[in-house]
Amino acid sequence: FKTLFRARGPFRQLGVHRPRQKPATRAAAPNFVDGSGAPLPAAFGESPERISLFGFSTGRALVEVNHYALRSAAAFLIKRDRGLPNRSHKEIDLAYWVDRNFNSVRDLSIRAMRPGTRREMAALSAIDGVGEQHRAALRWHRRRFAELSRQPDSHALLCQILTAGGSSVLPQSLQRQLVRWYQEIHNNRS
């Protein structure tokens, strides 16, 4: 998930999924709500490392943030080349692709935002230099993909991810079992 939050609060800095909280000795745990404004259990705010909403409500009546871990094979190669924004040492490889390539539901609800998005893009592009910087970034992206797709390791990964295709959503019973095992593994490490 991604978090929309007020800058004032028990936070010390931005985070990739949720803001980094101040230590419990310096601030109370934050109150989190789902996308419909329904409160999440206090335990969620008290667990700053938690980045999954598994088992909690995920309402969307007030807000929905569209975030895609994967966009395309080309963007994936560039993401791998760039690295992750949180300086994680996680491998960006075929397993990363397979774990996140769930293009199983066609959701066109974002189309409702198209007119407003076009207006904002036009306004931003009208700012001196912004439109050219955007076009330059697109040209860079295409050039970088062309370079990476001709490097042996990147080419091999490109072939693997295109061959792998999409990932399947596991049956709910298996999803729940995997989460139980994950929880057992991490509870036993303490």
Side-chain angles (χ1 to χ4, degrees):
F1 69 89
K2 295 293 183 180
T3 307
L4 297 175
F5 67 98
R6 291 188 179 105
R8 289 191 337 226
F11 308 118
R12 59 181 170 83
Q13 70 185 59
L14 293 174
V16 174
H17 293 276
R18 63 190 273 176
R20 303 278 184 215
Q21 293 171 214
K22 292 178 182 173
T25 56
R26 293 194 43 228
N31 296 315
F32 283 93
V33 298
D34 69 13
S36 293
L40 291 173
F44 186 81
E46 295 163 359
S47 305
E49 71 288 342
R50 184 164 182 166
I51 60 169
S52 168
L53 291 176
F54 185 81
F56 296 140
S57 68
T58 56
R60 297 176 173 173
L62 298 175
V63 65
E64 180 175 343
V65 177
N66 290 11
H67 170 72
Y68 306 96
L70 304 175
R71 289 187 347 228
S72 67
F76 184 72
L77 285 186
I78 292 167
K79 178 178 191 161
R80 177 178 181 242
D81 183 56
R82 177 197 73 215
L84 295 173
N86 58 359
R87 295 176 198 78
S88 170
H89 299 292
K90 186 183 299 185
E91 285 291 320
I92 303 175
D93 55 10
L94 180 61
Y96 189 101
W97 174 270
V98 170
D99 284 348
R100 292 159 178 80
N101 192 28
F102 289 97
N103 297 314
S104 58
V105 176
R106 186 175 172 119
D107 181 359
L108 302 177
S109 62
I110 194 70
R111 284 185 176 174
M113 302 301 294
R114 187 177 287 164
T117 301
R118 285 186 174 147
R119 281 192 304 276
E120 288 301 316
M121 288 293 292
L124 289 171
S125 292
I127 298 171
D128 188 38
V130 172
E132 179 48 40
Q133 288 296 315
H134 180 249
R135 289 184 293 278
L138 294 174
R139 286 190 303 270
W140 177 89
H141 196 275
R142 286 188 292 271
R143 258 191 334 270
R144 189 64 185 139
F145 171 70
E147 293 167 3
L148 290 170
S149 65
R150 286 158 182 83
Q151 293 177 5
D153 62 328
S154 293
H155 180 265
L157 178 61
L158 179 61
C159 291
Q160 291 172 338
I161 63 177
L162 292 176
T163 302
S167 301
S168 300
V169 176
L170 298 173
Q172 280 259 329
S173 59
L174 182 53
Q175 289 179 40
R176 291 182 189 287
Q177 182 60 56
L178 291 171
V179 169
R180 283 192 295 273
W181 287 336
Y182 177 86
Q183 289 170 332
E184 287 175 18
I185 291 166
H186 290 278
N187 287 339
N188 290 337
R189 285 186 180 175
S190 317

